[in-house]
Amino acid sequence: MKTPHWKLLTLVGPDRPGIVAAVSRVLLGAGAELGEASMMRLGGLFTIMLMVGIDGDGVHLKGLLESVRNEFKLRVHVDELNAGLHRRIDPDARVTVYGADRVGIVAEVTDALAQAGLSITDLRSDVAGSEDKPIYIMNIEGVAQQGLPPLEQALARLSSDIRVTIAPIELMRG
Amino acid sequence: MALRDIILYPDNRLKTACEAVDSFNAELRDFVNDLLDTCASGPGAVGIAAPQVGVLQRICIVDATRARKPVPNHGKLILVNPEITAWDGFAVGREGCLSVPDYTGNVVRAEKIRLSAYDLDGNALSFEMEGYEARIAQHEIDHLDGILFLDRLISRGADLFQRKPAKSKAAE
Ligand SMILES: [Zn+2]
């Protein structure tokens, strides 16, 4: 099997049933290989970030998706990738954050983490609670490039209204 | 020293329940030596089960002494016909598998277990395990029942239910 040319395909559009299936069917028909992906509903839109292995350039890939794009009113973006599949990095630290939602909470937390050497591999955040009293919840995984102690110290200096928990991710392989 | 080839999913042998060992003989001993060598050579492996080398018998290795950070453990264990007899609590943890390269995922396991098994001479063993070692044992015994960690994956969102916060700020 020859190695396909990998691209990162980003699609954003109104959340409607059938987007993923329609996109997958078109790519399958074009002989593309599908790789790692992250897809989720955000703010009423459906977002797709998908690795696609296919020959030809980004214009060719966009051309293939033209009818789906029209049907589902999607915005399409393609990035060329230098690497292929199997380039995942195993995170070794997990940080969970929550607090009353307020301006600056994400910047404050992520600044502190970046300065203490956390390279983020995955970040999920949600605004929960009631509409008048929203709370912000963030789930972060990453590689602690300088170990956990600098991260613990950095998080201990955050504003007192932000609750933070940090724990190692001990991988068990067997 | 003899290394056995590790079979990879989607090989059907990994989805097959294994047979109990009924003779504790030299053949068993030789096989377990190979299994120990194969486990020791697996990248970062802290356990292995016989079906992972294509032998459909209820034998596994649990070796929490190989954890990256020291954890409570009972040493390098050879478990024949292991059986979990009690479960307590639960914990989310990250697992990978020698038979599923290049993937790790979160799995819920019992925090503490009681386990019975036999050694290579057919003597009965029993252990109370917790944490990381209990996780290894549950992963390996799953293999003996044809179950992979892929069958037990939970979504990332469940991370909030992690076991014990290592360091909690503003816990006043
Ligand atoms: Zn395994």
Side-chain angles (χ1 to χ4, degrees), chain A residues 16 20 38 43 48 51 60 66-67 70 74 92 102 112 118 124 132 138 152 159-160 167:
Chain A
R16 275 173 46 193
V20 180
S38 164
I48 297 176
M51 288 178 67
H60 170 65
E66 188 55 22
S67 64
N70 273 322
L74 301 174
D92 61 7
R102 63 163 169 80
L118 186 76
R124 292 286 165 86
D132 55 329
M138 187 157 48
E152 286 163 356
S159 309
S160 62

Side-chain angles (χ1 to χ4, degrees), chain B residues 30-161:
Chain B
D30 288 346
F31 170 68
V32 166
N33 278 330
D34 287 0
L35 198 59
L36 286 166
D37 291 342
T38 308
C39 182
S41 74
V46 290
I48 193 170
Q52 291 180 280
V53 297
V55 172
L56 300 183
Q57 292 197 294
R58 301 188 71 83
I59 305 164
C60 65
I61 309 294
V62 170
D63 188 0
T65 67
R66 288 165 57 88
R68 240 167 21 121
K69 290 192 187 133
V71 291
N73 70 81
H74 295 85
K76 181 191 289 190
L77 299 177
I78 296 160
L79 303 175
V80 180
N81 299 342
E83 203 91 51
I84 298 174
T85 57
W87 293 259
D88 188 26
F90 70 89
V92 176
R94 189 68 131 239
E95 298 186 17
C97 182
L98 296 170
S99 299
V100 186
D102 192 44
Y103 185 76
T104 63
N106 291 333
V107 178
V108 176
R109 300 286 187 188
E111 168 66 14
K112 292 181 180 173
I113 56 171
R114 193 172 311 137
L115 183 156
S116 65
Y118 294 89
D119 70 9
L120 285 175
D121 299 314
N123 300 311
L125 305 171
S126 75
F127 300 98
E128 304 229 349
M129 295 182 175
E130 61 174 73
Y132 195 80
E133 185 180 48
R135 176 171 297 274
I136 306 171
Q138 290 170 83
H139 179 113
E140 302 311 337
I141 292 171
D142 262 359
H143 275 301
L144 306 182
D145 293 323
I147 297 168
L148 297 172
F149 82 112
L150 300 178
D151 296 309
R152 300 195 187 276
L153 290 177
I154 56 165
S155 83
R156 296 275 171 87
D159 286 353
L160 277 178
F161 297 99

Side-chain angles (χ1 to χ4, degrees), chain A residues 20-31:
Chain A
V20 180
V23 169
S24 306
R25 214 174 294 120
V26 167
L27 295 173
L28 173 70

